[in-house]
Amino acid sequence: MRVVVIGGSGHIGTFLVPRLVRAGHEVINISRGTRTAYADAPEWREVRHVVADREREDREGTFGDRIAALDADAVVDLVCFTLDSATALVERLRGASGHLLHCGTLWRYGPSDKLPISETSGTPPVGEYGIQKDLIARMLKEETASGGLVTTSLHPGHIVGPGWEPINPLGNLDPAVWYTLSAGQPLKIPGIGAESMHHVHADDVAQSFERAITHRDAAAGEDFNVVAPTALTVRGFAGIAAGWFGQTATLETVTWEEFRATTSPEHARNSWEHLYRGHCLTIEKARTLIGYAPRYEPEAAVLEAVRKLVDDDRLKVARPLV
């Protein structure tokens, strides 16, 4: 099978492209050509690379023609962020490709009011990113239901893996959080510590795309949550992370106003965006229909990422990992 992966040099593609090659597929990676995958693998030598500027070609109305000309059996779109861009690709691939798979996000759901969140029980999204991803998922579902292009959308949680910074126990990317926990120092947490986040390892996301391609009929017209088997609360995540350094977490609960006064606007904003949603998703649908079987619990996925950062001297910690 010929599979085109749009954005295959990023987080998910780092694991998906080698998976597809190992499964015997012919793989074409579409990227801007500005970086390589986060981890090397021998399978990349068998991949055809095509350099393209999607934003520019979307504006010019030529991107869909480029993808259609590749005559793919399946197209995996990992870098589509607007309904207009998704619609243009669908309209061009209708009748020219067998299966379009779109990467969405758990932020298609708004602040949680019932847990775990299924594909039909989430609240409406907030923020333009989540709104656009939800609109895309709904459009794709309608496209297939009406007899058009076969589509599938998969919605990952907070993606982690070796080579990039994971969302930390405060729901942001502040490296000082890891130092504080590794030193056994008090960590100020906004709220009560029961707020939840749902991570997923990039290779488990890649697995879900591979399974959806393999089980095309079962995946046709469907949307799937793609997360780790469990979610983490702020206090649970902090406690586990401190233990990696032989420490016990000391948590100091503060109001959001107090928290914002002690960190940068960017970190405070990211914490709020992650924590006030309080996401915890179910993967039962993906398990049942396409055999999704994540290998990583969330803390194991994050630990792998943290260990890589420490080993590469990209993260300052007070004590070594134990």
Side-chain angles (χ1 to χ4, degrees):
M1 183 182 297
R2 177 178 293 172
V3 182
V4 169
V5 182
I6 305 172
S9 299
H11 295 165
I12 301 168
T14 291
F15 295 93
L16 176 59
V17 169
R19 274 180 169 271
L20 294 174
V21 172
R22 289 194 296 271
H25 300 297
E26 174 190 354
V27 181
I28 302 173
N29 173 37
I30 310 292
S31 74
R32 291 174 298 176
T34 57
R35 70 181 183 192
T36 58
Y38 285 84
D40 193 21
E43 290 84 2
W44 283 99
R45 291 192 287 270
E46 301 179 40
V47 176
R48 176 182 168 191
H49 296 275
V50 175
V51 176
D53 183 335
R54 185 187 189 150
E55 289 188 11
R56 179 178 60 79
E57 293 185 18
D58 265 345
R59 290 194 301 270
E60 296 171 352
T62 60
F63 186 72
D65 293 334
R66 177 190 288 278
I67 302 304
L70 296 173
D71 193 27
D73 299 293
V75 175
V76 177
D77 193 350
L78 300 177
V79 289
C80 180
F81 305 105
T82 68
L83 179 61
D84 287 345
S85 179
T87 300
L89 186 59
V90 165
E91 291 177 348
R92 184 60 185 85
L93 293 183
R94 191 181 294 134
S97 179
H99 191 187
L100 173 65
L101 301 97
H102 170 81
C103 183
T105 173
L106 86 169
W107 280 17
R108 71 176 299 200
Y109 308 117
S112 59
D113 59 5
K114 184 178 182 180
L115 300 175
I117 301 168
S118 74
E119 289 80 358
T120 59
S121 68
T123 63
V126 292
E128 190 61 18
Y129 175 63
I131 289 170
Q132 287 292 318
K133 286 293 193 178
D134 185 55
L135 289 172
I136 293 170
R138 294 177 184 275
M139 178 274 292
L140 294 175
K141 185 178 285 287
E142 292 171 3
E143 167 71 16
T144 304
S146 65
L149 180 66
V150 174
T151 68
T152 304
S153 64
L154 300 104
H155 299 269
H158 310 311
I159 302 174
V160 294
W164 63 94
E165 297 83 358
I167 294 297
N168 64 39
L170 295 187
N172 64 36
L173 296 173
D174 183 359
V177 171
W178 301 109
Y179 187 90
T180 298
L181 291 169
S182 71
Q185 298 171 353
L187 179 69
K188 289 182 171 61
I189 61 171
I192 63 173
E195 298 82 359
S196 60
M197 294 165 278
H198 215 149
H199 294 72
V200 63
H201 195 287
D203 187 49
D204 283 333
V205 181
Q207 177 207 138
S208 72
F209 277 93
E210 182 184 7
R211 304 245 172 164
I213 291 171
T214 301
H215 301 287
R216 176 180 179 272
D217 291 345
E222 300 292 348
D223 52 351
F224 297 103
N225 294 336
V226 180
V227 290
T230 58
L232 292 167
T233 64
V234 169
R235 61 173 175 257
F237 191 0
I240 291 169
W244 297 338
F245 302 94
Q247 303 282 16
T248 299
T250 301
L251 306 180
E252 179 183 340
T253 60
V254 297
T255 66
W256 276 99
E257 289 72 19
E258 292 170 323
F259 178 71
R260 291 186 177 100
T262 63
T263 189
S264 72
E266 179 184 4
H267 294 324
R269 182 175 61 253
N270 286 340
S271 290
W272 174 257
E273 293 287 352
H274 284 88
L275 301 185
Y276 95 108
R277 285 174 167 86
H279 285 150
C280 174
L281 280 56
T282 173
I283 55 174
E284 189 58 33
K285 181 179 178 181
R287 285 187 189 275
T288 301
L289 293 187
I290 61 173
Y292 175 57
R295 294 175 52 234
Y296 287 84
E297 285 289 338
E299 62 269 30
V302 175
L303 174 57
E304 185 176 289
V306 169
R307 188 180 299 280
K308 175 66 172 173
L309 292 172
V310 171
D311 289 346
D312 291 347
D313 292 325
R314 292 176 55 195
L315 183 64
K316 182 181 179 182
V317 293
R319 296 182 60 176
L321 289 158
V322 298

